[in-house]
Amino acid sequence: MRIDEYRTYDGLGLAELVAAGDVTARELLDCASAQAKSVNPAINAIVRPMPEQAEERLAGTLEGPFAGVPFLIKDLSQDYAGLPTSSGSRALTDLPMPEHATVVQRWLDAGVVIFGKTNTPEFGAKGITEPAAFGPARNPWDRTRTPGGSSGGSAAAVAAGIVPVAGANDGGGSIRIPASCCGLVGLKPGRGLVPSGPTFGEPMHGAAVQGVVSRSVRDTAAMLDVLAGGEPTAGYSSAHPTDSFLSRVGIEPKPLRIGMYAGTSVNPTPAAEAVAAMESAAKTLTDLGHTVELLEAAPYDDAALNREFLLAWFTYLAWEMDEVKRRTGCGDDKFERDTRIMAALGRSASGVDYLEAVEGRHVHVRALATYFDTYDLLLTPTLAELPPKIGAFDLARPLEVASELLLRSRTAGLLKYTGIVDQMIDDNISWIPYTQLANVTGRPALSLPLHWTPQGLPMGAHFTAPLGGEAVLVQLAAQLERAAPWAHHYGDLA
């Protein structure tokens, strides 16, 4: 099989070829490996090749809906037994994991051939993928720009035609942000539907969930079928639909009432192309018979939600950094400066501050529930700005020096009184102000590649659904995919 032929198939399409005997799993892996060898030096998507593990898979029997399909897992929270999960950190690059993560085992049971792990920012703490441990991942559409984060390596690999679908996860937008940056489908499942065990119970109190980025809606749906369902170590099991998510791909959704907005408290005037992505989606939705209404503002207190989200995130990061120190015996020098700054801010918060941020989620849950009394879905852009340039969020030199002095002098709590905090909040939220809502409230959300800029950059449209709304999102996504197909779009490296 030639590369140009290989990349025209989605994951299920490749599996169908293997099942029919038209191609072998070995031939598919050869194609994926050749494409990786050709493009990965330019985009830095794969940071840990796994050729031995792939060979072991080919030597065994491959069964399941994705039998024989080459696959990549994210180097964060997707443990593969015997290999390190670096989480994008220098502190963890050599610490092997004792067992497979549940989602990794479910992917293996579905027949995939895992042959590498993908780039991610340190501890997944940014919407860009520029870890000091591995260097920046780059967007196949424009290598001067980020592929997003924290699943940036996975998204870059799919957009560049290395694999049709790849492992991802999402604690604040980390599936949907890179999906938008790279022109892919990115579905964040609702809280509790997909397990995070056995090592973790509910990362970030359930805000972080596992999933994929893909080129086709049916791959995303079929992968959700593979991953969904409880496990013995989970705190609870979310309700699961009686029929498969894949079966919903061919079912037209009922006419939906959808509200939309673009301006936020942190970014009142998003980029024209971000608004165009939302409006393009709205036009297609209207043409399909849905009702789309412009809202005067966000139907929740987005300023409060962002403050609470970041406080909880920084505090969780402080715990995570301390946990890595306990596991490895490493010092602060093994962590990036930005990670240490965020962790210091988390440590400066009291337990009551943290609990207030976590408990405050229910206010936003109720506001969103009230909104869904009237509307079926919420539509926004996925990003408020174009994908940033590589290095755009590096601290200015004066702030860099000041932060290092405070960190070394153990007076990092003073960071909250400097301009560093304001800059970090702006960097973390102003270009991605829409995605955190679904994580905080535990609702499913989806980014679809329905718009390309005149310069050829993809920009996503973002849908948030009520509890249990994954099936509706899949149905609508498939309908939009038929009306405004995107699979023929590839990054310039593909």
Side-chain angles (χ1 to χ4, degrees):
M1 175 178 279
R2 303 187 314 272
I3 295 295
D4 59 342
E5 182 182 5
Y6 164 80
R7 72 183 192 186
T8 63
Y9 289 91
D10 64 1
L12 289 175
L14 292 175
E16 290 163 3
L17 293 177
V18 173
D22 296 331
V23 69
T24 65
R26 164 69 66 187
E27 290 174 295
L28 294 184
L29 181 61
D30 288 346
C31 283
S33 299
Q35 184 70 346
K37 183 178 180 180
S38 173
V39 305
N40 197 59
I43 60 174
N44 196 29
I46 303 170
V47 294
R48 187 178 295 277
M50 296 168 54
E52 294 179 6
Q53 290 75 16
E55 288 298 324
E56 289 176 5
R57 291 288 288 167
L58 291 180
T61 301
L62 299 173
E63 297 179 335
F66 288 91
V69 177
F71 193 71
L72 297 166
I73 57 177
K74 183 178 176 180
D75 203 16
L76 173 70
S77 301
Q78 295 180 357
D79 301 340
Y80 196 101
L83 293 179
T85 298
S86 77
S87 301
S89 177
R90 290 167 292 186
L92 292 171
T93 53
D94 298 315
L95 183 67
M97 303 307 293
E99 58 189 338
H100 292 328
T102 301
V103 291
V104 170
Q105 186 59 59
R106 289 183 179 181
W107 280 321
L108 293 171
D109 293 342
V112 302
V113 178
I114 299 174
F115 68 104
K117 304 189 83 174
T118 60
N119 207 350
T120 184
E122 189 166 49
F123 303 124
K126 295 180 179 179
I128 58 175
T129 301
E130 300 178 23
F134 300 109
R138 295 180 179 273
N139 194 323
W141 296 92
D142 178 349
R143 280 167 278 171
T144 69
R145 296 182 183 272
T146 184
S150 63
S151 306
S154 290
V158 175
I162 298 174
V163 289
V165 57
N169 40 49
D170 191 318
S174 293
I175 287 175
R176 293 156 290 151
I177 294 164
S180 178
C181 289
C182 294
L184 306 175
V185 180
L187 173 63
K188 182 202 84 71
R191 185 173 298 158
L193 183 62
V194 175
S196 296
T199 301
F200 300 101
E202 288 188 289
M204 295 181 63
H205 291 290
V209 298
Q210 302 288 336
V212 299
V213 287
S214 76
R215 298 194 59 81
S216 75
V217 174
R218 71 173 191 158
D219 272 1
T220 288
M223 280 294 184
L224 190 54
D225 288 326
V226 167
L227 297 179
E231 62 179 337
T233 59
Y236 54 85
S237 181
S238 181
H240 196 287
T242 55
D243 52 351
S244 72
F245 291 107
L246 181 58
S247 70
R248 298 299 187 101
V249 169
I251 301 174
E252 295 287 313
K254 68 175 185 179
L256 301 170
R257 187 180 182 188
I258 302 169
M260 70 175 185
Y261 75 95
T264 64
S265 60
V266 73
N267 194 331
T269 56
E273 292 297 337
V275 177
M278 179 185 72
E279 292 177 342
S280 176
K283 182 181 184 305
T284 304
L285 289 164
T286 301
D287 292 343
L288 291 169
H290 304 291
T291 300
V292 183
E293 300 174 9
L294 182 64
L295 306 175
E296 292 184 1
Y300 63 99
D301 187 342
D302 66 307
L305 182 140
N306 286 331
R307 287 194 305 270
E308 293 160 3
F309 172 80
L310 287 177
L311 190 153
W313 186 280
F314 293 164
T315 307
Y316 188 85
L317 193 59
W319 170 83
E320 193 163 20
M321 186 172 159
D322 288 348
E323 176 66 13
V324 171
K325 287 181 179 181
R326 285 191 289 270
R327 290 168 60 199
T328 66
C330 73
D332 285 353
D333 61 314
K334 286 293 187 179
F335 302 97
E336 296 176 20
R337 181 192 61 249
D338 286 2
T339 300
R340 288 182 285 141
I341 291 173
M342 288 186 278
L345 293 170
R347 290 189 191 94
S348 70
S350 71
V352 173
D353 291 337
Y354 178 71
L355 188 59
E356 184 177 0
V358 173
E359 289 298 318
R361 293 178 176 182
H362 190 60
V363 174
H364 310 300
V365 168
R366 291 195 66 181
L368 200 55
T370 298
Y371 168 82
F372 284 131
D373 284 340
T374 303
Y375 296 94
D376 297 298
L377 297 173
L378 178 63
L379 169 63
T380 66
T382 308
L383 315 177
E385 305 290 340
L386 295 174
K389 297 280 189 176
I390 300 293
F393 296 144
D394 292 347
L395 277 180
R397 182 59 181 166
L399 291 177
E400 183 180 324
V401 172
S403 65
E404 284 291 348
L405 288 173
L406 291 171
L407 288 166
R408 290 176 183 175
S409 65
R410 304 290 182 181
T411 56
L414 297 175
L415 286 166
K416 66 173 70 176
Y417 302 111
T418 72
I420 295 171
V421 177
D422 291 337
Q423 180 175 337
M424 293 191 75
I425 290 175
D426 184 66
D427 290 350
N428 276 280
I429 297 295
S430 65
W431 74 286
I432 45 173
Y434 311 107
T435 55
Q436 295 80 20
L437 172 67
N439 300 89
V440 168
T441 61
R443 272 54 185 168
L446 168 75
S447 180
L448 292 177
L450 296 171
H451 179 72
W452 267 258
T453 72
Q455 295 76 32
L457 283 173
M459 291 289 283
H462 186 265
F463 299 86
T464 304
L467 280 177
E470 289 88 354
V472 172
L473 289 175
V474 166
Q475 287 176 242
L476 182 63
Q479 184 186 45
L480 289 167
E481 185 180 39
R482 291 188 290 270
W486 53 75
H488 59 288
H489 289 285
Y490 279 89
D492 64 354
L493 286 175

